[in-house]
Amino acid sequence: MSQAIVFAETGGPEVLRLQSAEVGQPGPGQARVRHTAIGVNFIDTYQRSGLYPTPLPSGLGSEAAGVVEAVGEGVAGLRPGDRVAYAGGPLGAYSTERLIAAEHLVKLPDGIADETAACAMLQGMTVEYLVQRTFPVQPGQTVLWHAAAGGVGQIALQWLSAMGVQVIATVGSQAKAEIARSLGAAHVILYREEDVAARVREITGGRGVPVVFDSVGKDTFESSLDSLAPRGMMITFGNASGPVPALSPLELTKRGSLFLTRPKLGDYIASRTDLEASSAALFSRLRDGTIKLSPSHRYPLAEAAQAHRDLEARRTTGSIILQP
C-alpha cells in the first residue's frame, strides 16, 4: 500500500493530504518505482495553488529517485533492483511508490546518491538547458542570475564558474550572499536593498549583461530588463514572487531590441535523446565534482505542507527533499 500526498482543491499548503492507495502492477511500458527520496520544487507550489492549472483531484511532485520494483511488458533496459531517477511525467512523485512510464526514467550511475539525484534532476537539467541551449553561455561572459542561493541558483553558480563565466548573483539576505560567494559568484547584489540595474551597469562599465536568468518573476522583472545590454536576452523561468506583468513588444524595442523567452524543462527533454543528453551532462558534473550538491532541508513525506510553507516564505536555501 502506497502513501501519497494529494489535493482535491487548489489553495495554500493546507490543501495537501496524505492518503493510502493501492499501486498495482505496471502495464505495458511502465515501471513500478519505490521512492527513496523526493524532490520539492517551486513548480509544485504553482500547481498546488492553481497558478499552473491541473485536473483535480491530483497527486503532486515531478521529481524523485528510487528503485525499480517491477517492469511491464515492452520495457527494455530496466529491471527490478535498478536505481533510477526522473524529473517530468505525470504528477505523483510525492508518494512512497508509484507507476510511471519507463521512458521518463534514467539509471543512476554509481557514485551519485539517491538524495543527490532527487534534488538534482529537475534543477540540474534546468540549469543545463538554460545555459547550454536557451542561451549558450561562453567563457568570459558576465551574466545576471536571480535567487542565486536557491536550489537552481546554487547549481548554476557552480556550473557557470567552472566554465569561466562571471556571475552577478542577486540574493535576499547577507546569509544568502555568503552562500552565493562561496559557490563562485563574482558579484553579489542584495536585491531588497540595492538598485539591481544600477549595480549591474556599474559592474559592467555601463554595458549591461547579455543575458538575465530570472526565476523570481514579478519583483525583479523590470530590473532584469533594465540590466540587459542591447540585443540581450531575458529568460524568465519562474514566478516565485508572482507572475510578471503584461509587456508590450515595443518595450523590448525601446530597451535595445531585446529578446524575451519563457522556457520550461519539459520542452527541452521531450525526446528520449534530449533527456539522456541532459541528464548525462548533469551526472558528469556531479561525478567529477564540478557540482557538489546535497539536500539542505529534509522533511518526512507527511510534512509536505510544511515544506511548501518554508519554501514559499523563503526560509530555505538550496534543495529540499521529502523522505518517504
Side-chain angles (χ1 to χ4, degrees), residues 126-202:
T126 294
V127 172
E128 182 278 325
Y129 88 74
L130 288 173
V131 306
Q132 296 194 171
R133 291 185 280 160
T134 305
F135 186 97
V137 182
Q138 302 300 311
Q141 287 185 315
T142 300
V143 307
L144 176 62
W145 199 290
H146 287 291
V152 176
Q154 289 194 22
I155 295 172
L157 285 175
Q158 295 176 79
W159 195 308
L160 290 169
S161 62
M163 291 173 56
V165 175
Q166 289 203 46
V167 181
I168 303 172
T170 76
V171 296
S173 69
Q174 286 290 352
K176 291 183 177 181
E178 291 306 311
I179 292 171
R181 291 189 185 97
S182 73
L183 294 174
H187 306 275
V188 179
I189 300 172
L190 295 172
Y191 72 88
R192 292 191 180 101
E193 302 174 16
E194 302 177 77
D195 183 323
V196 172
R199 285 282 290 120
V200 169
R201 297 288 174 182
E202 178 185 337

Side-chain angles (χ1 to χ4, degrees), residues 48 76 80 90 183 210 242-243 275 291:
R48 185 214 72 225
L183 294 174
L275 171 60
I291 297 171

